[in-house]
Amino acid sequence: MAVHTGKPNIAAEGVGTQEPPGTGAGERHRLTALQGLAALSLDAMASVAYGPESIVLVLAAAGAYGMGFTLPVTLVIAALLAVLVASYRQVIAAFPDGGGSYAVAKRHLGRRTGLVAAGSLMLDYILNVAVSVTAGVAALTSAFPQFYGERTWICLAVLVLVTAVNLRGVVDSARAFLLPTALFVGSILAVIVVGLFRDGPVSTASADGHATALGQGTTTVGALLLLKAFAAGCSALTGVEAVANAVPTFRAPAARRARRTEVALGALLGAMLIGLSVLIGRFHLQPVEGVTVLAQLADASFGHNAAFYVVQFATMVLLALAANTSFGGLPVLMSLLARDNHLPHVFALKADRQVHRHGVLALAVVSALLLVLSGGDTNTLVPLFAIGVFVGFTICQVGMVRHWYGGRARGRHAKAALNGFGALLTGVAALVVTATKFSEGAWVIVLALPLLVLGFERVHRAYGRIGERLELGRVPEPPRRAHSLVVVPVSGLSRLTCKALTAARSLGDEVLAVTVTHPAPEDRRTAEALRRDWELWNPGVELVELVPTTRALGRPVSGYVRELTAAHPASQVTVLIPETEPAHLWQRLLQNQRGSVVAHAVRRDTDAVICRLRFRLTDDAAVAGGERGAGKEGAGGDRR
């Protein structure tokens, strides 16, 4: 009697077993806390290059008076950062398998809300790659204008570099990007520390001759302007969730290391954001066209010297490499979606270096498409950026509120209030950014998110139908032995033919050899010669001659298999296709793929089992002429 043994999960089919965390050779391919900071924080760290500038550009509309609100707005963003860090530390502890917002929402807010969170994070990760690469290349072309016309190709080259490093493993990517991260963080902290000891800017050479973006004559700052500045500055918070999404990439104890990395990320990011905002007020900085706020601050702290160019170089490199955060977080998220039957199962597979290779390649391909369509222009992509992450933040915070009230954890009311406040702030930011950027391209994200969720649902339904047909989760009927009929396509006599018939007689109760003879005179003569040789050889296997009306090869064999299946409904029909395996890779070009043609036709038109017998050729065998007839088996024939 068939009984249910649990919820079917066909993602387990073909995925294979994986080593438990902390064991096996794969542990060396996982991250330490410091490596995690380098591999998963580049997006968040690089955001200090454009986060404070986004605030300043909005407040500049209110003139010098509006610029005075830079630090208060930054302090609110820093407070939100602290809330997010505290929340994601709890997420890491509660969901050590990774997934971040998706895992929280799926458990506490339902499957469909979880898919919205996953879709928003996927869009954010993809856009982060495109924005980071184009921003880094924009810094390069600002220093070397002669390369401006080639920026799309430069963007693609940087993307190829980051993809190649990540295909070697997350640990290798962390090692490769550890030095650029340390250089950037050290440079920014040096700008802040040195600037705090200055009574005024050392140099303003970088801004001289550039038009100011400061508004004139405005002395009031409205709530809407502050909201827009807050929402714009929240772009500095993108990437905070990456650590929680990629917990399984850490060494054991993975959750503890990931929580330490999250705290270190929050502390460094908060210190840099607040420090830069203090300097903006201290130096009475004014935004100008063509020069970044960070460049002006470096100029004011260090002067227009070698240290200034070091900061610019470190910023350029880190912006270009900030795409690595997406390569660390998105493939893990895609693997979880695949295991839940919302994405193809191939995304759940890992390479031997603990790399979700298919997820890395898919991210690279989609990002390359965005780079080509945008022409490598940052301004085209920025309006689409950060909306997805705010949606994910909000859903995650609401889910954590449900998490606290669903249990009896100590201090749950205070923790729930903290998460609720965070949900309010990120929700407001999401609405404001969407409203203010809608006409500039944000409508694409508003349209793409529900389409992505619908795609998840369609994949899930497809896997559900497959699971029903396979009766996953049920104990099947006892296996029984059926009469076995093996069909062997042949085109000549050779050692390969002998091995194929030997294998077929070992597999089946009855063996039939089939050959396809076309009506052309030369084909008829070849068939008659084969018939005479077969009778002289007398292998004890009947040779069936198929004579099609067209020069097809696969269709006559598949049609004959259908006839056999209809005539013997209780028999298991197997098609055994003999093929040669050349000693050298280049020799495969000499074959005409007859076996592939037949296999494709039989798979397409019948339910027969396909068995491909490969006969490996060696140099010795080739010299000895052991494959006298192999040329016949692997040559000629129509490829239809």
Side-chain angles (χ1 to χ4, degrees):
M1 180 178 67
V3 295
H4 286 280
T5 59
K7 183 180 178 179
N9 180 8
I10 78 174
E13 300 289 331
V15 171
T17 58
Q18 298 177 3
E19 296 172 345
T23 64
E27 188 68 11
R28 70 177 181 273
H29 296 299
R30 294 189 172 94
L31 298 170
T32 64
L34 182 61
Q35 290 171 340
L37 193 62
L40 301 172
S41 69
L42 295 182
D43 177 18
M45 294 296 183
S47 66
V48 302
Y50 49 81
E53 182 165 7
S54 299
I55 299 173
V56 167
L57 289 175
V58 173
L59 294 177
Y65 181 74
M67 294 290 294
F69 287 88
T70 300
L71 182 58
V73 171
T74 303
L75 290 174
V76 174
I77 293 174
L80 176 57
L81 172 63
V83 171
L84 291 173
V85 169
S87 174
Y88 277 107
R89 287 185 78 249
Q90 301 300 325
V91 171
I92 291 168
F95 300 89
D97 291 332
S101 302
Y102 167 64
V104 174
K106 187 181 71 168
R107 178 180 296 183
H108 297 294
L109 301 176
R111 182 177 61 86
R112 197 158 285 176
T113 305
L115 294 180
V116 174
S120 65
L121 285 175
M122 286 185 67
L123 292 173
D124 178 69
Y125 276 138
I126 293 169
L127 286 166
N128 171 60
V129 173
V131 170
S132 298
V133 171
T134 54
V137 173
L140 174 66
T141 55
S142 297
F144 303 98
Q146 62 268 29
F147 294 130
Y148 183 79
E150 307 297 329
R151 63 189 184 278
T152 301
W153 292 108
I154 299 175
C155 285
L156 292 175
V158 172
L159 178 62
V160 169
L161 172 65
V162 176
T163 303
V165 172
N166 277 275
L167 286 174
R168 288 190 54 81
V170 66
V171 171
D172 283 347
S173 71
R175 290 171 181 162
F177 302 146
L178 188 58
L179 181 60
T181 305
L183 179 63
F184 177 79
V185 173
S187 300
I188 299 301
L189 293 179
V191 169
I192 295 170
V193 172
V194 173
L196 290 176
F197 286 96
R198 304 289 190 188
D199 294 328
V202 176
S203 169
T204 59
S206 62
D208 291 344
H210 293 267
T212 180
L214 199 65
Q216 303 293 329
T218 306
T219 58
T220 59
V221 177
L224 180 59
L225 188 67
L226 291 176
L227 281 176
K228 291 177 65 176
F230 167 74
C234 279
S235 61
L237 302 180
T238 58
V240 173
E241 77 292 346
V243 177
N245 288 335
V247 179
T249 62
F250 285 85
R251 294 181 186 176
R256 185 184 304 173
R257 291 182 188 273
R259 294 177 78 185
R260 290 175 182 171
T261 302
E262 188 73 53
V263 171
L265 170 59
L268 282 173
L269 182 57
M272 289 190 290
L273 289 174
I274 294 174
L276 293 176
S277 296
V278 170
L279 292 186
I280 290 171
R282 187 181 185 87
F283 295 143
H284 304 290
L285 184 144
Q286 297 182 6
V288 297
E289 297 178 2
V291 180
T292 65
V293 168
L294 186 58
Q296 292 186 64
L297 290 176
D299 201 13
S301 293
F302 294 137
H304 208 73
N305 50 30
F308 168 81
Y309 287 102
V310 168
V311 175
Q312 293 304 103
F313 175 76
T315 304
M316 177 193 71
V317 172
L318 201 77
L319 278 169
L321 300 181
N324 192 69
T325 298
S326 296
F327 284 97
L330 182 58
V332 176
L333 176 62
M334 294 176 73
S335 73
L336 294 177
L337 286 166
R339 292 178 187 178
D340 292 337
N341 297 331
H342 294 297
L343 281 179
H345 292 163
V346 69
F347 292 113
L349 299 176
K350 275 188 179 181
D352 52 2
R353 286 177 173 265
Q354 301 298 314
V355 180
H356 294 286
R357 184 169 295 167
H358 296 90
V360 170
L361 292 174
L363 174 58
V365 170
V366 176
S367 301
L369 184 62
L370 276 178
L371 291 174
V372 172
L373 292 177
S374 67
D377 183 27
T378 307
N379 294 328
T380 304
L381 297 167
V382 166
L384 312 179
F385 189 46
I387 295 176
V389 75
F390 290 144
V391 173
F393 282 161
T394 305
I395 292 175
C396 184
Q397 298 285 323
V398 173
M400 289 306 293
V401 172
R402 293 285 299 271
H403 173 76
W404 296 124
Y405 283 120
R408 297 184 176 276
R410 191 173 182 180
R412 65 182 184 277
H413 296 295
K415 294 176 179 177
L418 187 66
N419 291 133
F421 179 63
L424 177 63
L425 291 179
T426 55
V428 168
L431 291 174
V432 172
V433 172
T434 303
T436 55
K437 301 292 185 181
F438 187 85
S439 60
E440 299 178 32
W443 62 269
V444 175
I445 302 299
V446 175
L447 180 64
L449 183 55
L451 291 177
L452 193 57
V453 173
L454 288 175
F456 293 152
E457 292 281 19
R458 185 164 184 176
V459 172
H460 191 267
R461 285 195 298 270
Y463 276 130
R465 289 191 294 268
I466 293 172
E468 291 176 2
R469 294 290 302 272
L470 295 178
E471 295 185 355
L472 294 178
R474 297 175 178 268
V475 176
E477 298 177 356
R480 57 186 177 84
R481 189 182 187 285
H483 178 267
S484 181
L485 182 59
V486 182
V487 177
V488 182
V490 298
S491 60
L493 296 188
S494 67
R495 184 178 171 189
L496 179 62
T497 308
C498 179
K499 291 184 70 69
L501 294 182
T502 300
R505 297 187 71 168
S506 302
L507 290 174
D509 300 310
E510 185 178 351
V511 178
L512 292 171
V514 298
T515 183
V516 178
T517 302
H518 298 108
E522 61 274 14
D523 293 321
R524 293 300 309 167
R525 288 193 294 269
T526 301
E528 291 170 1
L530 174 60
R531 172 70 65 183
R532 288 194 303 268
D533 293 342
W534 195 273
E535 292 174 354
L536 290 173
W537 183 34
N538 192 21
V541 174
E542 179 185 355
L543 178 63
V544 178
E545 186 176 341
L546 306 178
V547 184
T549 57
T550 61
R551 292 197 60 85
L553 176 65
R555 295 194 198 106
V557 176
S558 63
Y560 179 70
V561 171
R562 284 200 306 270
E563 294 175 5
L564 284 178
T565 303
H568 305 277
S571 297
Q572 174 63 60
V573 179
T574 301
V575 180
L576 189 147
I577 303 173
E579 297 175 296
T580 56
E581 184 76 20
H584 302 287
L585 183 63
W586 67 269
Q587 291 175 341
R588 295 182 183 179
L589 299 175
L590 305 179
Q591 298 175 304
N592 66 2
Q593 308 301 323
R594 287 171 60 94
S596 298
V597 172
V598 174
H600 174 72
V602 173
R603 183 183 297 109
R604 180 192 59 204
D605 300 333
T606 75
D607 293 327
V609 176
I610 299 173
C611 178
R612 301 180 75 167
L613 175 67
R614 298 193 181 275
F615 181 76
R616 297 186 183 276
L617 297 177
T618 63
D619 289 334
D620 292 341
V623 170
E627 287 302 308
R628 179 176 55 85
K632 290 185 177 181
E633 293 291 336
D638 194 285
R639 296 195 59 182
R640 285 173 288 175

